[in-house]
Amino acid sequence: MSLKHNRGALVRFAAIAAVAALALAGCTSTASGAGGSSSSGPIAKEDLVLVASVINTTNPYFIANIEGAKALSKKLDIPLEIIDSQGSSQTEISKIQAILAQGKKVVMFVNTVASSDTPTIVDAVKRAGGYVSIWWNKPDNFEPWDSGDNFVAFQKHPGVDSGRCNAQAIGDALGGKGNVIMFPGVQDSTTSQTRVAGFEAEMRENYPGIKILENQPSNWDPQLANQNAKDLIAKYGDQINGVWSADDGMQLGAIQAFDDAGLLDKVKFASDGLYPDTVALMEKGYGNNAIVGETFHRGYMASAIGLYTAYLAATGEIVPSELPKEKRTSFFDIKCVTPETLGDYLKYDTPTAAADFVDQLVEKGPWDTEPATLIGGGGPEVLPKP
């Protein structure tokens, strides 16, 4: 079986990105101006606008973020603005500031490009009297409870657990011996850093016969991962036995490179996200069952949880400063998936999955909605000892 027959991964990315770009053209503001002071009381629903800021619109995870935001917007009957950061912190911050200048009070979800972006974004939203939930990336020493109620929550799935899960899958598939390469995301990303730390720790502690040949950050970008994989194939050739990627978008780009090089049947892959394209490849046993492990979560769940948490704060249904710390810096459940357990997760990719999740979210609240339930938090994720 060959990706050349159904070049699903990269070709679909391009098509979906084009559609997303058309949708964004009417959504993203270009106005400018200064923000106001922070809000001190509940905001009327008709004065709110939902805003979802994503890193790019080529990665399936971020496209799913947009799907979740749209589903919640429809459910709450509140208008939605989408920000495509185009992989740039400067673009991300300038577009957020432009929307804040329009005057409506924002309820915002931000999947930050880099951890260091968070303080600037939070300060701008606070001065404008809006409410924001940040997903995935922030400096460890910048906590919501130190910034007031407008920084409602920082939310993520544990990165160390994700990396360990993937390392176990590759380590077992290789029988504890071989060579692997790694494709992290953005270097200034706590999400990528924790996943890398988990993967490396698991290999070091439990699979000493496996050597990490090289680590090439690929910025959550399938095309960049594809090029980086080509470069590492040229350098190491058939020495490579396993490939780890910090998310499925990059993994799909890497798989294409190994397929083009005629090496796919000899290499095992694991990654984070279990994106629909990955599901399809696993169901087919593609590339001699090349994908041996995944971690499951969904972008539409993250954006819906983030936006709904901020919405509850904006409307006065929760007071962030009265919440326990684990509901302000929050870790949500993540599942290890193998080819044998794949069928348990197919229900989360039906055409109505995002809307169905939002229905449950509004009924049960942001911390108790399966499968993304609160499992911990209250401070930075603890990294394994080197």
Side-chain angles (χ1 to χ4, degrees), residues 172 331 366:
D172 290 346
F331 302 157

Side-chain angles (χ1 to χ4, degrees), residues 80-103:
L80 171 69
E81 300 254 14
I82 301 295
I83 292 173
D84 176 7
S85 300
Q86 300 173 328
S88 163
S89 295
Q90 183 177 355
T91 300
E92 168 192 57
I93 291 168
S94 65
K95 287 185 175 182
I96 287 172
Q97 289 172 334
I99 286 179
L100 293 174
Q102 293 178 352

Side-chain angles (χ1 to χ4, degrees), residues 171-224:
D172 290 346
L174 297 183
K177 296 180 181 180
N179 302 307
V180 301
I181 59 174
M182 300 172 63
F183 296 110
V186 173
Q187 285 184 290
D188 179 20
S189 160
T190 50
T191 297
S192 182
Q193 291 164 7
T194 54
R195 290 177 188 172
V196 168
F199 184 87
E200 291 180 340
E202 187 68 21
M203 286 298 186
R204 183 172 62 248
E205 295 166 10
N206 295 311
Y207 301 93
I210 293 180
K211 179 182 178 181
I212 297 172
L213 294 173
E214 196 160 330
N215 169 326
Q216 281 283 343
S218 297
N219 299 353
W220 314 116
D221 186 330
Q223 287 84 1
L224 180 57

